[in-house]
Amino acid sequence: DIQMTQSPSSLSASVGDRVTITCRASQSINSYLNWYQQKPGKAPKVLIYAASSLLSGVPSRFSGSGSGTDFTLTISSLQPEDFATYYCLQTYTTPITFGPGTKVDIK
Amino acid sequence: QVQLVESGGGVVQPGRSLRLSCAASGFTFSSYAMHWVRQAPGKGLDWVAVVSHDGTKKYYADSVKGRLTISRDDSKNTLYLQLNSLRPEDTAVYYCAREDVGATSAGSFNWFDPWGQGTLVTVSS
């Protein structure tokens, strides 16, 4: 099975900060990597697919990069509505696996 | 609008069974692969299972293989998850999600969208 790790597990940031979250796969997953945002009590929402393609309607302050085993999600200027937990997900092969999540909270 | 609505969760004793449903609307259900994902209280997301658009292929997480069964009824636009021999560690919010597909210059890729609101299963004596 492909194991996904994320770093950091949590971070504190201020509105306007640039935030970067890293996701690493235990083996190459090409670009089969999604990023999801989840707020407390809500279902996850997809932000990015194919490692770097932004879903329609997702603010352009979100961006993704990487391929192979190393990926990043960047929020260029953190907004109040961005405080949430972020998960990466590999869809390269079954079993599909999520990263453990990165909680972004207010400094 | 495109919508998924789960139902069937509740409190159940260890070793008992439960069937979850996910009613789909606003899209051609039979054209999409569908997934179940669960989230234990205060924990991260765990993928559970997928069924292909035509129901012929099913894949499971190792942790649920042999106890949970995914199925679909395209005539009812409904996805199911049969949970048998339930254990306390199966306690979680269960989400259904549609697998959407798109193309980039690098090929065809998939993602989960939309998700349902989730249904809570609590396994406790």
Side-chain angles (χ1 to χ4, degrees), chain A:
Chain A
D1 298 0
I2 297 176
Q3 310 301 319
M4 306 299 292
T5 57
Q6 284 182 237
S7 61
S9 56
S10 65
L11 66 91
S12 296
S14 300
V15 173
D17 284 354
R18 181 182 181 87
V19 169
T20 298
I21 298 169
T22 296
C23 176
R24 177 165 289 173
S26 60
Q27 64 188 74
S28 177
I29 57 171
N30 196 329
S31 294
Y32 288 88
L33 192 283
N34 303 163
W35 288 99
Y36 294 83
Q37 176 193 68
Q38 187 181 34
K39 297 181 179 179
K42 300 294 186 182
K45 171 190 169 186
V46 62
L47 302 173
I48 287 171
Y49 72 99
S52 61
S53 295
L54 209 64
L55 267 293
S56 175
V58 175
S60 59
R61 62 181 179 273
F62 291 94
S63 64
S65 65
S67 67
T69 60
D70 295 315
F71 303 86
T72 59
L73 172 69
T74 300
I75 309 172
S76 60
S77 178
L78 199 66
Q79 297 302 299
E81 60 268 31
D82 301 337
F83 291 97
T85 300
Y86 294 85
Y87 295 92
C88 60
L89 170 70
Q90 69 81 15
T91 62
Y92 180 71
T93 188
T94 55
I96 292 170
T97 43
F98 285 90
T102 296
K103 185 176 180 181
V104 178
D105 60 23
I106 302 171
K107 182 184 278 185

Side-chain angles (χ1 to χ4, degrees), chain B residues 98-109:
Chain B
R98 184 183 74 174
E99 179 177 311
D100 211 345
V101 179
T104 71
S105 57
S108 179
F109 295 87

